[in-house]
């Protein structure tokens, strides 16, 4: 944490409307992310919308939106349509959350004004909030997604240099499952030449299954124009042998060749079929909200 500057800022809004995603709103209590994943798509987002350098500009400064939970609470009082995802452009459980507790206070607001929620994280700190997650889970649909693209710790030290090792993320996932919370693994992004082998995907799927993950989903690396040179430089310094394969697959675009995409989809289907990912059984129907009962009685 020491080489990262934390800057307190004030948020004007909290819920951010999104299009074309499986959720309607996103919530990001921080700007940038001390986890410093080399492939992070949010590097491009921060360059585009926060005028921040995609390399050290992203890694070295995290803005902490100090009033974010209060802004969220005010917004939730007024609008609560649709579903929300926490942590789409930053990790809501990166180390500084231990001090500021912004994500925790957002969960408190959501417990009071529930809407279907998903959380995306690599931070084992999420177990601190099991008490609130259980309360929220009683009120609405909740899934915690752990991002575990690879379980080889040597690789992860290079690709995700600021994160907890994958085994700690999976230990946290197990604790959530033991508390009855829906928790799944996102094997994302699959990195060509680095974590796309059958062996690597199989190890990730097996570890996820053993931890009790309710699902195992994957997606291939997307390299937006803003980060293409940055990602090339990273490969050249840490995985030089992989660079020609990457260049051939992406050819200067954001997505890899379709044939390769199909090949990886098939590979993941194969490994997923070897292990058990048991969906959480449906919960009993929740009793109707008091205002609904009153309305029915009035009719
Ligand atoms: S944890 Fe997520 S948001 Fe943070 S750097 Fe890694 S990929 Fe980006």
């Amino acid at each position: 944490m020491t080489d990262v500057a934390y800057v307190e800022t004030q948020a004007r809004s909290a819920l951010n409307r999104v299009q074309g995603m499986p959720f309607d709103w996103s919530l990001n209590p921080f700007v940038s992310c001390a986890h410093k994943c080399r492939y992070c798509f949010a590097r491009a987002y921060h360059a585009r919308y926060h005028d921040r350098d995609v390399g050290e500009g992203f890694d070295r400064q995290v803005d902490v939106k100090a009033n974010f939970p209060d802004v969220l609470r005010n917004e939730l009082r007024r609008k609560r349509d649709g579903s929300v995802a926490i942590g789409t452009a930053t990790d809501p459980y990166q180390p500084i959350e231990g001090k500021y507790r912004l994500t925790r206070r957002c969960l408190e607001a959501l417990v009071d004004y529930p809407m279907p929620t998903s959380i995306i994280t690599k931070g084992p700190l999420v177990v601190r909030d099991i008490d609130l997650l259980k309360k929220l889970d009683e009120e609405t649909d909740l899934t915690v997604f752990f991002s575990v693209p690879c379980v080889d710790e040597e690789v992860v030290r290079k690709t995700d240099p600021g994160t907890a090792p994958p085994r700690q993320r999976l230990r946290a996932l197990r604790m959530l499952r033991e508390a009855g919370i829906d928790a799944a693994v996102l094997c994302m992004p699959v990195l060509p030449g680095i974590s796309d082998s059958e062996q690597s995907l199989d190890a990730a799927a097996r570890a996820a299954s053993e931890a009790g993950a309710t699902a195992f989903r994957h997606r291939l690396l997307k390299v937006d124009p803003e980060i293409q040179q940055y990602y090339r430089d990273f490969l050249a310094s840490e995985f030089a042998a992989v660079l020609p394969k990457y260049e051939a697959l992406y050819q200067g675009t954001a997505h890899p060749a379709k044939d390769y995409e199909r090949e990886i989809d098939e590979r993941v289907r194969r490994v997923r079929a070897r292990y058990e990912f048991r969906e959480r059984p449906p919960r009993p129907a929740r009793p109707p909200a008091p205002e609904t009962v009153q309305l029915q009685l009035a009719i």
Side-chain angles (χ1 to χ4, degrees), residues 33-37 39-42 58 87-91 122 163:
C33 184
H35 283 164
K36 305 179 184 174
C37 304
Y39 48 76
C40 179
F41 85 96
F58 180 84
T88 55
T90 185
D91 196 313
K122 288 178 178 156
T163 61

Side-chain angles (χ1 to χ4, degrees), residues 50 69 118 128 151 172 177 184 191 193 213 231 237 250 262 277 296:
H50 296 281
S118 54
R128 177 200 64 188
V151 290
R177 292 295 300 117
L191 302 176
Y231 189 70
S237 80
Y250 283 74
R262 278 191 287 273
F277 297 99
Q296 282 167 350

